[in-house]
Amino acid sequence: MRPEPFALYDPPMIAIPDLHVAPVTPQLASAVRTLRVAEDQYPFVGDVTLNLALAEADPNSDAMAILVGDTVIGFYQLDFAGAMAGWNPHGKAGVGLRAFMLDRDWQGRGLGTRAINACCADLERRHPERRLLALTVNCSNLGAIRAYRKAGFVDTGELYFGGKAGPQHLMVRGLNART
């Protein structure tokens, strides 16, 4: 048995949650509808119930849940035919990432980057023909810009001016190591 002072140097075992993504099924939809973000994030994310309904109604979109184990902690929409999916300066097939959000109770734990990585791995597996993941992020949403950069997105230098909350940066991340 070690003397007590050494206990200070033994880092505690921290369980890394099983984070994964899955298409929203009818069983997951009710949990997705309960997700909430902080009040100041609503102008950027919008209402999750409306975003889910729009994604489910669009045959060119996938409504996706972010899960830790069996618990739904977030949501996003993959847009295969919108303007962001069409952004392809080098002829690369893209997909747009819309309405990405983690529930306010799950934010600040480093799960956003893991969720983006899980999203990309899922896209690479289910849609190997896609080469770019594109998104727009409001210019005043500095926390989200930092988070997306940390997750491997690059700012293209282009701005999108059609958002309700003001101008947005267009950011992209390559998919399938050949990008």
Side-chain angles (χ1 to χ4, degrees), residues 12-58:
M13 294 298 290
I14 299 173
I16 298 175
D18 168 33
L19 186 143
H20 59 281
V21 300
V24 175
T25 62
Q27 295 79 18
L28 294 176
S30 60
V32 168
R33 288 185 197 96
T34 68
L35 298 171
R36 298 291 175 259
V37 294
E39 199 63 39
D40 62 340
Q41 293 175 322
Y42 275 103
F44 307 127
V45 177
D47 179 75
V48 70
T49 300
L50 176 61
N51 289 335
L52 175 60
L54 292 172
E56 289 178 325
D58 184 349

mmCIF file of all heavy atoms in Angstrom, residues 12-58:
data_model
loop_
_atom_site.group_PDB
_atom_site.id
_atom_site.type_symbol
_atom_site.label_atom_id
_atom_site.label_comp_id
_atom_site.label_asym_id
_atom_site.label_seq_id
_atom_site.Cartn_x
_atom_site.Cartn_y
_atom_site.Cartn_z
ATOM 1 N N PRO A 12 -7.372 10.738 -10.920
ATOM 2 C CA PRO A 12 -8.574 9.910 -10.831
ATOM 3 C C PRO A 12 -8.932 9.356 -12.207
ATOM 4 O O PRO A 12 -8.665 9.979 -13.235
ATOM 5 C CB PRO A 12 -9.645 10.868 -10.325
ATOM 6 C CG PRO A 12 -9.153 12.224 -10.718
ATOM 7 C CD PRO A 12 -7.646 12.147 -10.708
ATOM 8 N N MET A 13 -9.502 8.212 -12.234
ATOM 9 C CA MET A 13 -9.980 7.623 -13.478
ATOM 10 C C MET A 13 -11.270 8.338 -13.866
ATOM 11 O O MET A 13 -12.238 8.319 -13.110
ATOM 12 C CB MET A 13 -10.244 6.131 -13.304
ATOM 13 C CG MET A 13 -8.982 5.334 -13.037
ATOM 14 S SD MET A 13 -7.794 5.411 -14.378
ATOM 15 C CE MET A 13 -8.621 4.477 -15.620
ATOM 16 N N ILE A 14 -11.244 9.001 -14.984
ATOM 17 C CA ILE A 14 -12.420 9.719 -15.458
ATOM 18 C C ILE A 14 -12.994 8.940 -16.627
ATOM 19 O O ILE A 14 -12.307 8.724 -17.629
ATOM 20 C CB ILE A 14 -12.068 11.158 -15.887
ATOM 21 C CG1 ILE A 14 -11.510 11.924 -14.687
ATOM 22 C CG2 ILE A 14 -13.271 11.858 -16.480
ATOM 23 C CD1 ILE A 14 -10.975 13.290 -15.020
ATOM 24 N N ALA A 15 -14.213 8.535 -16.491
ATOM 25 C CA ALA A 15 -14.857 7.775 -17.560
ATOM 26 C C ALA A 15 -15.151 8.697 -18.727
ATOM 27 O O ALA A 15 -15.709 9.774 -18.553
ATOM 28 C CB ALA A 15 -16.142 7.138 -17.052
ATOM 29 N N ILE A 16 -14.741 8.291 -19.917
ATOM 30 C CA ILE A 16 -15.046 9.037 -21.123
ATOM 31 C C ILE A 16 -16.360 8.488 -21.665
ATOM 32 O O ILE A 16 -16.453 7.294 -21.972
ATOM 33 C CB ILE A 16 -13.923 8.906 -22.168
ATOM 34 C CG1 ILE A 16 -12.639 9.500 -21.588
ATOM 35 C CG2 ILE A 16 -14.311 9.586 -23.468
ATOM 36 C CD1 ILE A 16 -11.430 9.314 -22.471
ATOM 37 N N PRO A 17 -17.371 9.323 -21.743
ATOM 38 C CA PRO A 17 -18.673 8.809 -22.161
ATOM 39 C C PRO A 17 -18.661 8.288 -23.594
ATOM 40 O O PRO A 17 -17.914 8.757 -24.442
ATOM 41 C CB PRO A 17 -19.602 10.015 -22.033
ATOM 42 C CG PRO A 17 -18.741 11.199 -21.855
ATOM 43 C CD PRO A 17 -17.376 10.741 -21.484
ATOM 44 N N ASP A 18 -19.504 7.302 -23.830
ATOM 45 C CA ASP A 18 -19.691 6.731 -25.166
ATOM 46 C C ASP A 18 -20.525 7.705 -25.983
ATOM 47 O O ASP A 18 -21.748 7.676 -25.939
ATOM 48 C CB ASP A 18 -20.395 5.372 -25.046
ATOM 49 C CG ASP A 18 -20.887 4.862 -26.391
ATOM 50 O OD1 ASP A 18 -20.228 5.146 -27.406
ATOM 51 O OD2 ASP A 18 -21.938 4.198 -26.429
ATOM 52 N N LEU A 19 -19.857 8.598 -26.689
ATOM 53 C CA LEU A 19 -20.557 9.574 -27.517
ATOM 54 C C LEU A 19 -20.633 9.041 -28.935
ATOM 55 O O LEU A 19 -19.624 8.605 -29.488
ATOM 56 C CB LEU A 19 -19.819 10.912 -27.493
ATOM 57 C CG LEU A 19 -20.556 12.043 -28.205
ATOM 58 C CD1 LEU A 19 -20.360 13.342 -27.463
ATOM 59 C CD2 LEU A 19 -20.135 12.169 -29.641
ATOM 60 N N HIS A 20 -21.820 9.077 -29.516
ATOM 61 C CA HIS A 20 -22.021 8.645 -30.896
ATOM 62 C C HIS A 20 -23.204 9.400 -31.486
ATOM 63 O O HIS A 20 -23.908 10.125 -30.774
ATOM 64 C CB HIS A 20 -22.231 7.125 -30.975
ATOM 65 C CG HIS A 20 -23.402 6.640 -30.184
ATOM 66 N ND1 HIS A 20 -23.363 6.463 -28.826
ATOM 67 C CD2 HIS A 20 -24.644 6.306 -30.565
ATOM 68 C CE1 HIS A 20 -24.528 6.040 -28.399
ATOM 69 N NE2 HIS A 20 -25.332 5.942 -29.429
ATOM 70 N N VAL A 21 -23.382 9.268 -32.776
ATOM 71 C CA VAL A 21 -24.488 9.932 -33.472
ATOM 72 C C VAL A 21 -25.337 8.873 -34.155
ATOM 73 O O VAL A 21 -24.851 7.786 -34.475
ATOM 74 C CB VAL A 21 -23.987 10.977 -34.493
ATOM 75 C CG1 VAL A 21 -23.170 12.067 -33.792
ATOM 76 C CG2 VAL A 21 -23.176 10.334 -35.600
ATOM 77 N N ALA A 22 -26.606 9.222 -34.375
ATOM 78 C CA ALA A 22 -27.524 8.294 -35.036
ATOM 79 C C ALA A 22 -28.652 9.091 -35.670
ATOM 80 O O ALA A 22 -29.028 10.153 -35.161
ATOM 81 C CB ALA A 22 -28.101 7.303 -34.023
ATOM 82 N N PRO A 23 -29.186 8.588 -36.774
ATOM 83 C CA PRO A 23 -30.369 9.248 -37.342
ATOM 84 C C PRO A 23 -31.492 9.290 -36.302
ATOM 85 O O PRO A 23 -31.645 8.365 -35.498
ATOM 86 C CB PRO A 23 -30.736 8.347 -38.521
ATOM 87 C CG PRO A 23 -29.452 7.668 -38.893
ATOM 88 C CD PRO A 23 -28.736 7.455 -37.585
ATOM 89 N N VAL A 24 -32.241 10.374 -36.324
ATOM 90 C CA VAL A 24 -33.355 10.509 -35.394
ATOM 91 C C VAL A 24 -34.465 9.559 -35.824
ATOM 92 O O VAL A 24 -34.961 9.634 -36.940
ATOM 93 C CB VAL A 24 -33.883 11.962 -35.343
ATOM 94 C CG1 VAL A 24 -35.127 12.047 -34.465
ATOM 95 C CG2 VAL A 24 -32.795 12.906 -34.826
ATOM 96 N N THR A 25 -34.804 8.664 -34.924
ATOM 97 C CA THR A 25 -35.914 7.731 -35.116
ATOM 98 C C THR A 25 -37.130 8.286 -34.383
ATOM 99 O O THR A 25 -36.992 9.213 -33.561
ATOM 100 C CB THR A 25 -35.561 6.357 -34.531
ATOM 101 O OG1 THR A 25 -35.358 6.520 -33.108
ATOM 102 C CG2 THR A 25 -34.316 5.770 -35.178
ATOM 103 N N PRO A 26 -38.312 7.740 -34.617
ATOM 104 C CA PRO A 26 -39.467 8.189 -33.823
ATOM 105 C C PRO A 26 -39.229 8.048 -32.319
ATOM 106 O O PRO A 26 -39.675 8.887 -31.540
ATOM 107 C CB PRO A 26 -40.596 7.273 -34.297
ATOM 108 C CG PRO A 26 -40.215 6.922 -35.705
ATOM 109 C CD PRO A 26 -38.709 6.807 -35.678
ATOM 110 N N GLN A 27 -38.471 7.031 -31.916
ATOM 111 C CA GLN A 27 -38.186 6.844 -30.496
ATOM 112 C C GLN A 27 -37.275 7.944 -29.953
ATOM 113 O O GLN A 27 -37.392 8.334 -28.791
ATOM 114 C CB GLN A 27 -37.537 5.474 -30.246
ATOM 115 C CG GLN A 27 -38.432 4.288 -30.541
ATOM 116 C CD GLN A 27 -38.530 3.969 -32.046
ATOM 117 O OE1 GLN A 27 -37.713 4.396 -32.853
ATOM 118 N NE2 GLN A 27 -39.572 3.236 -32.407
ATOM 119 N N LEU A 28 -36.345 8.447 -30.775
ATOM 120 C CA LEU A 28 -35.427 9.496 -30.331
ATOM 121 C C LEU A 28 -36.019 10.893 -30.469
ATOM 122 O O LEU A 28 -35.578 11.822 -29.791
ATOM 123 C CB LEU A 28 -34.120 9.430 -31.124
ATOM 124 C CG LEU A 28 -33.240 8.201 -30.925
ATOM 125 C CD1 LEU A 28 -32.041 8.258 -31.869
ATOM 126 C CD2 LEU A 28 -32.790 8.091 -29.485
ATOM 127 N N ALA A 29 -37.005 11.051 -31.342
ATOM 128 C CA ALA A 29 -37.543 12.387 -31.640
ATOM 129 C C ALA A 29 -38.080 13.092 -30.401
ATOM 130 O O ALA A 29 -37.868 14.302 -30.229
ATOM 131 C CB ALA A 29 -38.626 12.295 -32.715
ATOM 132 N N SER A 30 -38.765 12.380 -29.528
ATOM 133 C CA SER A 30 -39.321 13.048 -28.348
ATOM 134 C C SER A 30 -38.201 13.560 -27.439
ATOM 135 O O SER A 30 -38.319 14.638 -26.861
ATOM 136 C CB SER A 30 -40.269 12.126 -27.588
ATOM 137 O OG SER A 30 -39.588 10.973 -27.148
ATOM 138 N N ALA A 31 -37.110 12.823 -27.321
ATOM 139 C CA ALA A 31 -35.971 13.289 -26.520
ATOM 140 C C ALA A 31 -35.297 14.483 -27.181
ATOM 141 O O ALA A 31 -34.872 15.418 -26.494
ATOM 142 C CB ALA A 31 -34.976 12.158 -26.296
ATOM 143 N N VAL A 32 -35.199 14.474 -28.511
ATOM 144 C CA VAL A 32 -34.606 15.621 -29.224
ATOM 145 C C VAL A 32 -35.414 16.881 -28.940
ATOM 146 O O VAL A 32 -34.850 17.951 -28.696
ATOM 147 C CB VAL A 32 -34.514 15.342 -30.742
ATOM 148 C CG1 VAL A 32 -34.185 16.613 -31.512
ATOM 149 C CG2 VAL A 32 -33.476 14.261 -31.029
ATOM 150 N N ARG A 33 -36.734 16.766 -28.928
ATOM 151 C CA ARG A 33 -37.591 17.941 -28.708
ATOM 152 C C ARG A 33 -37.422 18.556 -27.321
ATOM 153 O O ARG A 33 -37.801 19.701 -27.113
ATOM 154 C CB ARG A 33 -39.048 17.574 -28.937
ATOM 155 C CG ARG A 33 -39.386 17.344 -30.385
ATOM 156 C CD ARG A 33 -40.893 17.103 -30.594
ATOM 157 N NE ARG A 33 -41.118 16.514 -31.884
ATOM 158 C CZ ARG A 33 -41.251 15.204 -32.111
ATOM 159 N NH1 ARG A 33 -41.223 14.345 -31.115
ATOM 160 N NH2 ARG A 33 -41.426 14.757 -33.338
ATOM 161 N N THR A 34 -36.863 17.833 -26.378
ATOM 162 C CA THR A 34 -36.672 18.381 -25.028
ATOM 163 C C THR A 34 -35.353 19.124 -24.878
ATOM 164 O O THR A 34 -35.113 19.742 -23.839
ATOM 165 C CB THR A 34 -36.735 17.268 -23.949
ATOM 166 O OG1 THR A 34 -35.599 16.411 -24.093
ATOM 167 C CG2 THR A 34 -38.027 16.482 -24.036
ATOM 168 N N LEU A 35 -34.480 19.070 -25.877
ATOM 169 C CA LEU A 35 -33.179 19.734 -25.796
ATOM 170 C C LEU A 35 -33.350 21.245 -25.718
ATOM 171 O O LEU A 35 -34.234 21.818 -26.360
ATOM 172 C CB LEU A 35 -32.318 19.380 -27.012
ATOM 173 C CG LEU A 35 -31.970 17.909 -27.179
ATOM 174 C CD1 LEU A 35 -31.302 17.680 -28.535
ATOM 175 C CD2 LEU A 35 -31.077 17.423 -26.046
ATOM 176 N N ARG A 36 -32.474 21.884 -24.951
ATOM 177 C CA ARG A 36 -32.512 23.337 -24.801
ATOM 178 C C ARG A 36 -31.093 23.890 -24.812
ATOM 179 O O ARG A 36 -30.156 23.241 -24.365
ATOM 180 C CB ARG A 36 -33.171 23.732 -23.471
ATOM 181 C CG ARG A 36 -34.609 23.283 -23.343
ATOM 182 C CD ARG A 36 -35.510 24.074 -24.303
ATOM 183 N NE ARG A 36 -36.880 23.583 -24.287
ATOM 184 C CZ ARG A 36 -37.408 22.777 -25.207
ATOM 185 N NH1 ARG A 36 -36.695 22.369 -26.227
ATOM 186 N NH2 ARG A 36 -38.664 22.401 -25.139
ATOM 187 N N VAL A 37 -30.973 25.110 -25.299
ATOM 188 C CA VAL A 37 -29.702 25.832 -25.228
ATOM 189 C C VAL A 37 -29.912 27.050 -24.348
ATOM 190 O O VAL A 37 -31.050 27.422 -24.041
ATOM 191 C CB VAL A 37 -29.186 26.252 -26.625
ATOM 192 C CG1 VAL A 37 -28.822 25.040 -27.460
ATOM 193 C CG2 VAL A 37 -30.172 27.133 -27.351
ATOM 194 N N ALA A 38 -28.832 27.680 -23.949
ATOM 195 C CA ALA A 38 -28.923 28.911 -23.177
ATOM 196 C C ALA A 38 -29.668 29.968 -23.998
ATOM 197 O O ALA A 38 -29.625 29.958 -25.231
ATOM 198 C CB ALA A 38 -27.531 29.401 -22.799
ATOM 199 N N GLU A 39 -30.348 30.845 -23.305
ATOM 200 C CA GLU A 39 -31.187 31.865 -23.957
ATOM 201 C C GLU A 39 -30.411 32.661 -25.009
ATOM 202 O O GLU A 39 -30.940 32.946 -26.089
ATOM 203 C CB GLU A 39 -31.761 32.805 -22.897
ATOM 204 C CG GLU A 39 -32.955 33.589 -23.356
ATOM 205 C CD GLU A 39 -34.162 32.724 -23.709
ATOM 206 O OE1 GLU A 39 -34.434 31.726 -23.024
ATOM 207 O OE2 GLU A 39 -34.836 33.068 -24.699
ATOM 208 N N ASP A 40 -29.149 32.998 -24.725
ATOM 209 C CA ASP A 40 -28.379 33.803 -25.679
ATOM 210 C C ASP A 40 -27.939 33.013 -26.910
ATOM 211 O O ASP A 40 -27.439 33.584 -27.874
ATOM 212 C CB ASP A 40 -27.175 34.444 -24.994
ATOM 213 C CG ASP A 40 -26.171 33.447 -24.439
ATOM 214 O OD1 ASP A 40 -26.536 32.273 -24.225
ATOM 215 O OD2 ASP A 40 -25.011 33.855 -24.207
ATOM 216 N N GLN A 41 -28.138 31.694 -26.915
ATOM 217 C CA GLN A 41 -27.777 30.880 -28.078
ATOM 218 C C GLN A 41 -28.945 30.703 -29.055
ATOM 219 O O GLN A 41 -28.724 30.324 -30.203
ATOM 220 C CB GLN A 41 -27.278 29.509 -27.625
ATOM 221 C CG GLN A 41 -25.967 29.571 -26.880
ATOM 222 C CD GLN A 41 -25.560 28.218 -26.341
ATOM 223 O OE1 GLN A 41 -26.388 27.435 -25.884
ATOM 224 N NE2 GLN A 41 -24.275 27.938 -26.388
ATOM 225 N N TYR A 42 -30.165 30.958 -28.616
ATOM 226 C CA TYR A 42 -31.322 30.756 -29.483
ATOM 227 C C TYR A 42 -31.258 31.531 -30.802
ATOM 228 O O TYR A 42 -31.636 30.986 -31.845
ATOM 229 C CB TYR A 42 -32.631 31.060 -28.743
ATOM 230 C CG TYR A 42 -33.133 29.873 -27.965
ATOM 231 C CD1 TYR A 42 -32.976 29.815 -26.588
ATOM 232 C CD2 TYR A 42 -33.735 28.797 -28.596
ATOM 233 C CE1 TYR A 42 -33.409 28.718 -25.870
ATOM 234 C CE2 TYR A 42 -34.174 27.699 -27.881
ATOM 235 C CZ TYR A 42 -34.015 27.663 -26.515
ATOM 236 O OH TYR A 42 -34.436 26.580 -25.806
ATOM 237 N N PRO A 43 -30.778 32.783 -30.811
ATOM 238 C CA PRO A 43 -30.707 33.464 -32.117
ATOM 239 C C PRO A 43 -29.816 32.744 -33.129
ATOM 240 O O PRO A 43 -30.009 32.850 -34.330
ATOM 241 C CB PRO A 43 -30.119 34.846 -31.770
ATOM 242 C CG PRO A 43 -30.437 35.047 -30.331
ATOM 243 C CD PRO A 43 -30.408 33.668 -29.707
ATOM 244 N N PHE A 44 -28.830 31.992 -32.641
ATOM 245 C CA PHE A 44 -27.906 31.295 -33.524
ATOM 246 C C PHE A 44 -28.394 29.902 -33.896
ATOM 247 O O PHE A 44 -28.152 29.424 -34.994
ATOM 248 C CB PHE A 44 -26.527 31.193 -32.872
ATOM 249 C CG PHE A 44 -25.971 32.505 -32.413
ATOM 250 C CD1 PHE A 44 -25.523 32.668 -31.113
ATOM 251 C CD2 PHE A 44 -25.901 33.595 -33.270
ATOM 252 C CE1 PHE A 44 -25.005 33.876 -30.687
ATOM 253 C CE2 PHE A 44 -25.398 34.812 -32.857
ATOM 254 C CZ PHE A 44 -24.947 34.954 -31.548
ATOM 255 N N VAL A 45 -29.049 29.217 -32.964
ATOM 256 C CA VAL A 45 -29.447 27.825 -33.155
ATOM 257 C C VAL A 45 -30.898 27.702 -33.602
ATOM 258 O O VAL A 45 -31.238 26.862 -34.422
ATOM 259 C CB VAL A 45 -29.229 27.011 -31.853
ATOM 260 C CG1 VAL A 45 -29.705 25.588 -32.011
ATOM 261 C CG2 VAL A 45 -27.773 27.044 -31.447
ATOM 262 N N GLY A 46 -31.755 28.513 -33.047
ATOM 263 C CA GLY A 46 -33.175 28.409 -33.338
ATOM 264 C C GLY A 46 -33.853 27.372 -32.453
ATOM 265 O O GLY A 46 -33.245 26.791 -31.557
ATOM 266 N N ASP A 47 -35.100 27.137 -32.736
ATOM 267 C CA ASP A 47 -35.913 26.214 -31.955
ATOM 268 C C ASP A 47 -35.673 24.781 -32.428
ATOM 269 O O ASP A 47 -35.851 24.473 -33.612
ATOM 270 C CB ASP A 47 -37.390 26.588 -32.101
ATOM 271 C CG ASP A 47 -38.281 25.653 -31.329
ATOM 272 O OD1 ASP A 47 -38.321 25.777 -30.095
ATOM 273 O OD2 ASP A 47 -38.924 24.795 -31.972
ATOM 274 N N VAL A 48 -35.300 23.906 -31.522
ATOM 275 C CA VAL A 48 -34.959 22.532 -31.901
ATOM 276 C C VAL A 48 -36.173 21.788 -32.458
ATOM 277 O O VAL A 48 -36.031 20.986 -33.389
ATOM 278 C CB VAL A 48 -34.304 21.762 -30.732
ATOM 279 C CG1 VAL A 48 -35.290 21.472 -29.626
ATOM 280 C CG2 VAL A 48 -33.659 20.486 -31.235
ATOM 281 N N THR A 49 -37.358 22.052 -31.937
ATOM 282 C CA THR A 49 -38.553 21.370 -32.442
ATOM 283 C C THR A 49 -38.810 21.747 -33.898
ATOM 284 O O THR A 49 -39.104 20.878 -34.729
ATOM 285 C CB THR A 49 -39.775 21.704 -31.564
ATOM 286 O OG1 THR A 49 -39.493 21.258 -30.225
ATOM 287 C CG2 THR A 49 -41.027 21.027 -32.070
ATOM 288 N N LEU A 50 -38.680 23.019 -34.219
ATOM 289 C CA LEU A 50 -38.840 23.470 -35.603
ATOM 290 C C LEU A 50 -37.729 22.903 -36.481
ATOM 291 O O LEU A 50 -37.989 22.413 -37.586
ATOM 292 C CB LEU A 50 -38.836 24.996 -35.671
ATOM 293 C CG LEU A 50 -38.897 25.601 -37.079
ATOM 294 C CD1 LEU A 50 -40.177 25.185 -37.793
ATOM 295 C CD2 LEU A 50 -38.770 27.113 -37.009
ATOM 296 N N ASN A 51 -36.474 22.944 -36.000
ATOM 297 C CA ASN A 51 -35.359 22.411 -36.790
ATOM 298 C C ASN A 51 -35.541 20.924 -37.066
ATOM 299 O O ASN A 51 -35.262 20.456 -38.181
ATOM 300 C CB ASN A 51 -34.030 22.654 -36.067
ATOM 301 C CG ASN A 51 -33.631 24.106 -36.076
ATOM 302 O OD1 ASN A 51 -34.017 24.874 -36.938
ATOM 303 N ND2 ASN A 51 -32.865 24.507 -35.076
ATOM 304 N N LEU A 52 -36.007 20.182 -36.085
ATOM 305 C CA LEU A 52 -36.251 18.753 -36.273
ATOM 306 C C LEU A 52 -37.349 18.537 -37.306
ATOM 307 O O LEU A 52 -37.199 17.708 -38.217
ATOM 308 C CB LEU A 52 -36.627 18.090 -34.943
ATOM 309 C CG LEU A 52 -37.032 16.623 -35.014
ATOM 310 C CD1 LEU A 52 -35.909 15.759 -35.578
ATOM 311 C CD2 LEU A 52 -37.453 16.134 -33.627
ATOM 312 N N ALA A 53 -38.432 19.282 -37.202
ATOM 313 C CA ALA A 53 -39.545 19.136 -38.158
ATOM 314 C C ALA A 53 -39.094 19.457 -39.576
ATOM 315 O O ALA A 53 -39.456 18.742 -40.525
ATOM 316 C CB ALA A 53 -40.709 20.035 -37.743
ATOM 317 N N LEU A 54 -38.309 20.516 -39.741
ATOM 318 C CA LEU A 54 -37.814 20.883 -41.078
ATOM 319 C C LEU A 54 -36.901 19.801 -41.642
ATOM 320 O O LEU A 54 -36.998 19.451 -42.821
ATOM 321 C CB LEU A 54 -37.079 22.220 -41.020
ATOM 322 C CG LEU A 54 -37.937 23.448 -40.729
ATOM 323 C CD1 LEU A 54 -37.068 24.682 -40.495
ATOM 324 C CD2 LEU A 54 -38.933 23.691 -41.857
ATOM 325 N N ALA A 55 -36.022 19.265 -40.814
ATOM 326 C CA ALA A 55 -35.109 18.213 -41.276
ATOM 327 C C ALA A 55 -35.870 16.949 -41.644
ATOM 328 O O ALA A 55 -35.577 16.314 -42.660
ATOM 329 C CB ALA A 55 -34.065 17.911 -40.197
ATOM 330 N N GLU A 56 -36.855 16.578 -40.840
ATOM 331 C CA GLU A 56 -37.631 15.367 -41.117
ATOM 332 C C GLU A 56 -38.476 15.513 -42.382
ATOM 333 O O GLU A 56 -38.705 14.525 -43.082
ATOM 334 C CB GLU A 56 -38.526 15.025 -39.926
ATOM 335 C CG GLU A 56 -37.752 14.523 -38.726
ATOM 336 C CD GLU A 56 -38.622 14.237 -37.520
ATOM 337 O OE1 GLU A 56 -39.621 14.954 -37.301
ATOM 338 O OE2 GLU A 56 -38.303 13.287 -36.795
ATOM 339 N N ALA A 57 -38.910 16.731 -42.686
ATOM 340 C CA ALA A 57 -39.757 16.960 -43.855
ATOM 341 C C ALA A 57 -38.963 17.071 -45.149
ATOM 342 O O ALA A 57 -39.536 16.976 -46.238
ATOM 343 C CB ALA A 57 -40.586 18.234 -43.654
ATOM 344 N N ASP A 58 -37.659 17.254 -45.061
ATOM 345 C CA ASP A 58 -36.819 17.477 -46.234
ATOM 346 C C ASP A 58 -36.187 16.150 -46.678
ATOM 347 O O ASP A 58 -35.353 15.591 -45.960
ATOM 348 C CB ASP A 58 -35.733 18.489 -45.903
ATOM 349 C CG ASP A 58 -34.864 18.862 -47.093
ATOM 350 O OD1 ASP A 58 -34.946 18.184 -48.149
ATOM 351 O OD2 ASP A 58 -34.098 19.830 -46.963
#
